[in-house]
Amino acid sequence: MSLLIESKPFGKIEIEERQIIHFANGLFGFEKYSRYAFIEESPDSPFKWLQCLEDKNLAFIVIQPELFTSSYHPIIPPSELKTIKVTKNEDALVMVIVTIPDTDPNLMTANLQGPILINPKELIGGQFISRDETHPVRKLILENNKTPEPV
Amino acid sequence: MLVLARRLNQSIMIGDDVEIVIVDIKGDQVKLGIKAPRTVSIQRSEILQEIQEENRNAVNTNINPRALDKLGDIFKKKGSSPKK
């Protein structure tokens, strides 16, 4: 079943019911909000959106970490994974939140310390803290692109 | 806030299943041992605060979706042509 929602990036759009992910504990700093739509408007784009259904202005850009960083394995205690009914990271879709500065989008960063895990079968998700303290809160995504390209 | 003075190897209990032990004291650093059920989430408070703040920064992003798609293209180029 599809439904019409208000989104920050795209205005009114139609989504499928199975795009709705329930975050029982919300996201850090936004604990009150629990229902988000996982939006992939451009299937080719690496960037996806988590649009809050309870507040139109609340939308996060997310990306799969393996697209810009290799060997990223967030360490999350099994007791916390249990809250989204998975036993290991591999059972979940792992995404990280992207921050894009208005001044220079090329300096966009991803939050590897606070990954989002989604159980795609149950449509439930959560934001977790990776206990690997080498995972930065602000990891430059286009780091490798900074080397000047030959013209 | 409740303030308690403790010496090395002394501990405090929080409820009946969380115990915090003073394991080591060196200069201005104190090492704490924490015994708690697995279901209790334990964090350094500054990490949690940093993630909350970064989430707020992320939400303030005002990039339009078309510009974002363009940025995504840079990505694909990067991925599909590892080296020229």
Side-chain angles (χ1 to χ4, degrees):
Chain A
M1 204 186 90
S2 65
L3 59 160
L4 210 56
I5 63 157
E6 284 278 1
S7 74
K8 180 183 171 190
F10 307 107
K12 264 202 175 97
I13 52 164
E14 210 175 85
I15 60 158
E16 295 297 316
E17 205 162 4
R18 51 162 298 106
Q19 282 174 262
I20 300 175
I21 314 292
H22 192 249
F23 288 78
N25 300 320
L27 303 192
F28 295 120
F30 298 91
E31 286 79 4
K32 280 195 310 189
Y33 304 98
S34 60
R35 287 172 75 236
Y36 288 83
F38 185 74
I39 302 174
E40 304 177 83
E41 278 294 282
S42 328
D44 291 343
S45 171
F47 300 104
K48 321 287 177 200
W49 293 83
L50 274 180
Q51 170 67 51
C52 179
L53 298 181
E54 293 136 351
D55 182 347
K56 166 188 185 278
N57 293 313
L58 190 53
F60 295 89
I61 300 167
V62 294
I63 190 171
Q64 274 179 291
E66 52 269 35
L67 291 177
F68 61 91
T69 178
S70 54
S71 67
Y72 171 63
H73 302 290
I75 298 173
I76 301 160
S79 60
E80 292 183 21
L81 286 177
K82 223 190 260 173
T83 60
I84 60 161
K85 297 185 185 165
V86 298
T87 49
K88 51 185 193 300
N89 295 359
E90 289 71 25
D91 297 334
L93 172 64
V94 179
M95 306 292 291
V96 289
I97 296 180
V98 180
T99 303
I100 304 181
D102 288 336
T103 45
D104 184 357
N106 287 306
L107 296 179
M108 64 169 103
T109 57
N111 183 350
L112 299 189
Q113 181 104 69
I116 285 181
L117 273 73
I118 292 172
N119 177 335
K121 282 185 205 134
E122 303 274 344
L123 303 177
I124 49 180
Q127 186 175 24
F128 300 89
I129 298 177
S130 172
R131 301 317 200 266
D132 182 334
E133 292 190 6
T134 66
H135 289 155
V137 171
R138 280 175 287 276
K139 157 95 175 160
L140 272 176
I141 294 182
L142 300 175
E143 213 159 21
N144 304 330
N145 280 359
K146 279 205 303 189
T147 46
E149 281 188 22
V151 184
Chain B
M1 186 163 55
L2 172 68
V3 179
L4 298 170
R6 299 277 66 194
R7 295 181 188 283
L8 190 63
N9 296 324
Q10 289 187 328
S11 68
I12 60 166
M13 293 293 302
I14 300 174
D16 20 293
D17 49 11
V18 178
E19 183 178 16
I20 298 174
V21 190
I22 311 300
V23 175
D24 193 21
I25 305 169
K26 254 187 214 136
D28 64 354
Q29 201 181 43
V30 179
K31 264 193 193 146
L32 304 175
I34 302 161
K35 289 182 212 162
R38 288 179 147 270
T39 49
V40 174
S41 159
I42 300 161
Q43 316 294 346
R44 292 172 210 266
S45 18
E46 66 271 19
I47 289 182
L48 185 58
Q49 281 160 11
E50 260 189 86
I51 294 179
Q52 287 173 342
E53 199 189 311
E54 194 53 22
N55 277 355
R56 281 185 214 113
N57 291 338
V59 167
N60 287 331
T61 297
N62 280 312
I63 191 159
N64 80 54
R66 223 173 277 162
L68 185 64
D69 281 350
K70 271 226 175 87
L71 279 173
D73 289 343
I74 308 177
F75 240 86
K76 267 176 274 165
K77 263 183 240 155
K78 191 179 133 194
S80 58
S81 60
K83 222 160 217 165
K84 276 180 196 162

